[in-house]
Amino acid sequence: MFFNITKLQNRFFLCYLFAVFIPIMLLSSMIYYYHSNQRAKDYITEKKNSLIIEQNYLESQLDSSSNYFNQLKSNYELQSLLKEFYTTEREIVYAYNSQIYSLISSIFLYDSNISGITLYTQNTNAANILNYFEPMSACPVYEDFQAELIDGFWKAEEEKDGAGFSFYIGFSNPPSAAFPGIVKLSYNHNIFSSCEADSPESSVYVFLNGRPIYRSNDAPEASACLEAHEQQLLAQTQADAPQVILDGKSRSIISAISLDNGIFHVIRVTPETGNIFSYQPFLLSLAISVLILGSASIIIFCLIFKPLKNIVRLSEHMNRQNSHTLSLYPGKISRDETGDLILSFNRMSERINELSESLLNNEIQLKNAQIEALQNQLNPHFFYGTLESIRMIAEANHQELISDIAYSFGNLMRYSLSREYLVPVSREIEMTRQYVSIQEKRLVNRFEISWDICELDDKWRCPKFALFNMVENVFSHNVSKCRSFIQAAVILKKDGDDLIITVKNTGPGIPPERLAHLRYLLEHPRERDTMTSENNGRGIFNINDRLRLFYGGDYRLDIDSEENVLTVCSVRICKHYNGF
């Protein structure tokens, strides 16, 4: 069974693949990626929050440079010295010892991040005598950074232990554009030690205006990772939120903050040791998916594959049926829809066997009936021959009335016994005229009939006796039942592709109750068994049923009657009928 896979089993495996296996694997992958992304988002959010705290702390450390400058700027003795109010050695030393030295010492004492303070001044005497004072000509930024000195700026500088950085700002001297003095606050790298202390395993890089000024715990992997994202990270400004990049290739987490409007960039590269890039969640998700898939597969195979195998066996059994007698399915019948199908097949096989035997008997009887029908064909010929003999004898004895009646009656009998369902309208009119001619000879001066017939060709056909029965009803229900003179009219009128045949006559007509009953029975054939044998209307029912059978529901017999005044009966036929 498993080596001879059938088409139905192939479809089962395809349905299993697309409806169970693939959806479960996709669902497990979606769940894994959802939780993985959610875990990464939560981590990034938490990391950004901690970076914002760190950013605020470092920003406050750098902002202290402006505070120190304001302290120096507000010192009267220092301002007087810089503006050369004190020029003698005695005045300069006195001012320095009284206020300036203590102010500079307090800054060093208060902030360990400051490694040096230099005051560049135009007062050459002060520059030569005092510590921390240098002549203006020694300032490395005086000539090139005039505009920046107004608000202050940071500059990376080379030091003995590597690159350092300093804050330069000039003392304003309005209305003069020249600076009487410039302050240089040199910072050491202790300001960034907190970045290293928070995560010792991280590599910390600090850039000032795109130039590296500090690096800690540098590693080749971290440097390569930084180089891949350096351009993106250095484009960050202070207005931007801290950046956190998960680099799956190097399995590292890169975090970056900007300080002082994007002048400083502090970048940390941390190797990921947790579960952000771990395969354990994926393996766990895969294990759960395999467990669910296995359970679902066992259930599906138990519930579906076994009934499917029974269907395949039933199909093989049915394909082996070659004789006219069907054999019953011999296998086990399960208690489900498959078992119901097998039971139905067995019952069908028994019924077919019975019908096959019955059909064989019917074929034998049909052959006997055909032989008997061939024998009975001699009877109509004998009947027609007898009528022809009567007509010839009547003509020989100059009995024209008898001869005409015999001739017309013979034609009506041939027309009646013919096996045509649809006949040309012209032939139906001819047979009706012969019937009327017989009635004229039988009922002299009892009726008058007029014919209003449009031009027709042989393409116009109608059910046999459609017109004949309507005319026959005029004689059977009117002329024969009253002594009054009956006037009748036969009208054939075209209406597009339809032909309307109408028969009108005077006479007793139809009572309203009888007419309503006839109309009801025309629309409800199953109720016709309630009609009595006398005047049961079988003729008009026959016409109406055949019209609907041949042409459809829109073609039917219409009958209307006003008692003792006029009765109108009409039918509608279609020219484009293709045949029965």
Side-chain angles (χ1 to χ4, degrees):
M1 178 63 67
F2 288 98
F3 296 97
N4 186 18
I5 304 298
T6 63
K7 295 180 179 179
L8 191 60
Q9 290 171 335
N10 283 333
R11 293 180 181 177
F12 167 75
F13 286 117
L14 288 175
C15 291
Y16 169 78
L17 179 65
F18 288 104
V20 178
F21 181 80
I22 293 179
I24 289 179
M25 298 306 295
L26 289 177
L27 180 61
S28 63
S29 299
M30 291 172 61
I31 293 174
Y32 164 72
Y33 283 113
Y34 171 78
H35 286 288
S36 177
N37 291 336
Q38 190 64 37
R39 186 171 60 254
K41 289 180 180 179
D42 293 342
Y43 177 83
I44 291 174
T45 302
E46 182 181 357
K47 189 69 174 177
K48 284 184 176 181
N49 292 333
S50 63
L51 289 175
I52 291 174
I53 297 174
E54 182 180 1
Q55 183 182 35
N56 294 333
Y57 170 76
L58 293 177
E59 192 72 35
S60 65
Q61 294 294 314
L62 295 175
D63 287 343
S64 63
S65 60
S66 298
N67 296 330
Y68 300 146
F69 169 73
N70 290 331
Q71 294 177 19
L72 295 171
K73 183 179 180 182
S74 62
N75 187 278
Y76 175 78
E77 298 294 339
L78 178 60
Q79 288 284 354
S80 299
L81 188 148
L82 293 176
K83 294 178 181 180
E84 297 185 290
F85 292 161
Y86 302 138
T87 56
T88 65
E89 180 177 351
R90 184 175 178 274
E91 291 174 337
I92 294 172
V93 172
Y94 178 79
Y96 178 75
N97 291 330
S98 62
Q99 291 187 21
I100 298 174
Y101 178 76
S102 61
L103 177 59
I104 295 175
S105 298
S106 64
I107 294 175
F108 278 112
L109 182 63
Y110 180 78
D111 194 343
S112 61
N113 295 326
I114 296 180
S115 60
I117 299 176
T118 304
L119 296 169
Y120 298 96
T121 177
Q122 299 287 357
N123 194 332
T124 57
N125 291 331
N128 294 329
I129 298 173
L130 302 177
N131 290 330
Y132 306 113
F133 282 80
E134 295 288 340
M136 188 68 73
S137 59
C139 181
V141 298
Y142 179 65
E143 299 294 336
D144 299 328
F145 296 90
Q146 292 288 327
E148 290 81 355
L149 285 172
I150 297 175
D151 296 322
F153 67 95
W154 295 92
K155 184 177 183 299
E157 295 180 338
E158 294 292 337
E159 296 181 355
K160 296 179 180 180
D161 56 348
F165 60 101
S166 300
F167 179 75
Y168 289 86
I169 188 169
F171 291 91
S172 59
N173 188 22
S176 174
F179 296 103
I182 298 173
V183 177
K184 172 186 176 183
L185 299 175
S186 300
Y187 281 78
N188 55 39
H189 297 146
N190 294 336
I191 192 173
F192 302 112
S193 60
S194 61
C195 302
E196 184 178 356
D198 291 341
S199 53
E201 73 281 0
S202 302
S203 299
V204 180
Y205 303 89
V206 181
F207 291 82
L208 172 57
N209 292 324
R211 179 181 175 183
I213 61 173
Y214 176 78
R215 62 180 61 201
S216 172
N217 195 19
D218 190 15
E221 297 81 4
S223 298
C225 184
L226 174 63
E227 184 179 356
H229 301 278
E230 182 176 353
Q231 186 176 1
Q232 174 186 353
L233 297 172
L234 295 182
Q236 182 184 17
T237 64
Q238 189 177 6
D240 299 328
Q243 294 190 62
V244 178
I245 300 175
L246 303 179
D247 192 338
K249 183 178 180 181
S250 62
R251 299 178 65 82
S252 300
I253 301 172
I254 306 171
S255 57
I257 56 177
S258 65
L259 306 172
D260 201 0
N261 295 321
I263 296 176
F264 288 89
H265 291 88
V266 181
I267 302 173
R268 182 188 290 112
V269 181
T270 306
E272 205 285 314
T273 57
N275 59 355
I276 298 297
F277 301 109
S278 176
Y279 290 104
Q280 292 181 357
F282 174 75
L283 296 176
L284 180 60
S285 175
L286 181 62
I288 295 175
S289 301
V290 171
L291 179 62
I292 296 174
L293 180 63
S295 302
S297 301
I298 293 174
I299 295 173
I300 290 175
F301 274 81
C302 292
L303 296 179
I304 298 178
F305 191 76
K306 185 176 181 180
L308 186 66
K309 185 167 66 173
N310 292 335
I311 295 176
V312 172
R313 289 177 177 175
L314 176 61
S315 174
E316 294 174 349
H317 174 77
M318 295 174 66
N319 290 331
R320 290 194 294 267
Q321 307 300 311
N322 295 322
S323 62
H324 65 278
T325 302
L326 301 178
S327 59
L328 303 183
Y329 179 75
K332 183 179 180 181
I333 300 176
S334 57
R335 296 181 180 180
D336 52 17
E337 286 76 5
T338 306
D340 296 339
L341 179 63
I342 296 173
L343 291 175
S344 299
F345 170 77
N346 288 341
R347 287 194 293 267
M348 181 188 68
S349 299
E350 294 175 352
R351 180 59 179 164
I352 290 176
N353 292 337
E354 293 176 359
L355 293 176
S356 177
E357 185 178 356
S358 176
L359 181 61
L360 180 61
N361 295 331
N362 290 338
E363 288 179 353
I364 296 174
Q365 294 177 3
L366 179 60
K367 291 182 179 180
N368 294 334
Q370 290 176 345
I371 295 173
E372 184 177 353
L374 292 173
Q375 294 175 350
N376 292 336
Q377 287 181 357
L378 297 175
N379 295 333
H381 291 289
F382 173 76
F383 179 77
Y384 298 146
T386 303
L387 287 176
E388 184 65 20
S389 298
I390 294 174
R391 186 183 70 81
M392 294 176 64
I393 293 172
E395 287 182 351
N397 289 277
H398 305 287
Q399 298 292 328
E400 296 181 358
L401 179 60
I402 298 175
S403 175
D404 292 342
I405 292 175
Y407 175 76
S408 298
F409 184 67
N411 289 336
L412 288 175
M413 291 301 298
R414 287 187 178 90
Y415 184 67
S416 175
L417 296 176
S418 66
R419 295 187 177 183
E420 294 178 283
Y421 293 103
L422 292 172
V423 297
V425 176
S426 57
R427 187 179 177 191
E428 177 73 10
I429 295 173
E430 181 186 352
M431 292 297 103
T432 305
R433 285 182 180 273
Q434 291 193 11
Y435 171 75
V436 172
S437 67
I438 293 175
Q439 297 297 341
E440 287 176 344
K441 294 176 177 62
R442 187 173 70 89
L443 304 169
V444 181
N445 298 327
R446 293 280 306 279
F447 70 94
E448 180 184 10
I449 187 167
S450 62
W451 302 82
D452 183 5
I453 302 174
C454 62
E455 184 178 354
L456 300 171
D457 53 27
D458 291 340
K459 293 183 179 180
W460 290 98
R461 291 178 172 266
C462 67
K464 189 166 61 175
F465 290 116
L467 174 61
F468 184 92
N469 282 342
M470 289 192 292
V471 174
E472 190 268 339
N473 282 337
V474 174
F475 291 96
S476 60
H477 296 291
N478 293 275
V479 177
S480 62
K481 291 188 177 181
C482 71
R483 296 184 179 276
S484 301
F485 185 79
I486 303 299
Q487 291 182 340
V490 177
I491 304 171
L492 277 74
K493 180 181 179 181
K494 292 181 181 179
D495 183 12
D497 289 334
D498 292 348
L499 179 67
I500 301 175
I501 304 174
T502 305
V503 177
K504 301 179 180 180
N505 65 275
T506 59
I510 306 173
E513 297 81 5
R514 167 74 174 173
L515 179 62
H517 195 198
L518 287 175
R519 288 175 174 173
Y520 175 79
L521 293 176
L522 284 172
E523 299 296 332
H524 301 83
R526 295 183 179 180
E527 305 294 332
R528 294 172 187 171
D529 294 337
T530 61
M531 295 290 293
T532 60
S533 59
E534 183 180 1
N535 300 329
N536 55 19
R538 297 296 180 186
I540 62 175
F541 295 154
N542 183 276
I543 297 174
N544 184 74
D545 294 344
R546 285 190 294 154
L547 286 172
R548 292 194 173 188
L549 178 64
F550 293 147
Y551 303 109
D554 294 335
Y555 296 87
R556 61 184 182 276
L557 182 141
D558 294 321
I559 185 169
D560 192 12
S561 179
E562 184 177 356
E563 195 171 5
N564 297 319
V565 178
L566 183 67
T567 301
V568 180
C569 186
S570 64
V571 298
R572 178 186 291 267
I573 62 175
C574 180
K575 181 178 181 179
H576 299 291
Y577 181 72
N578 294 325
F580 182 67

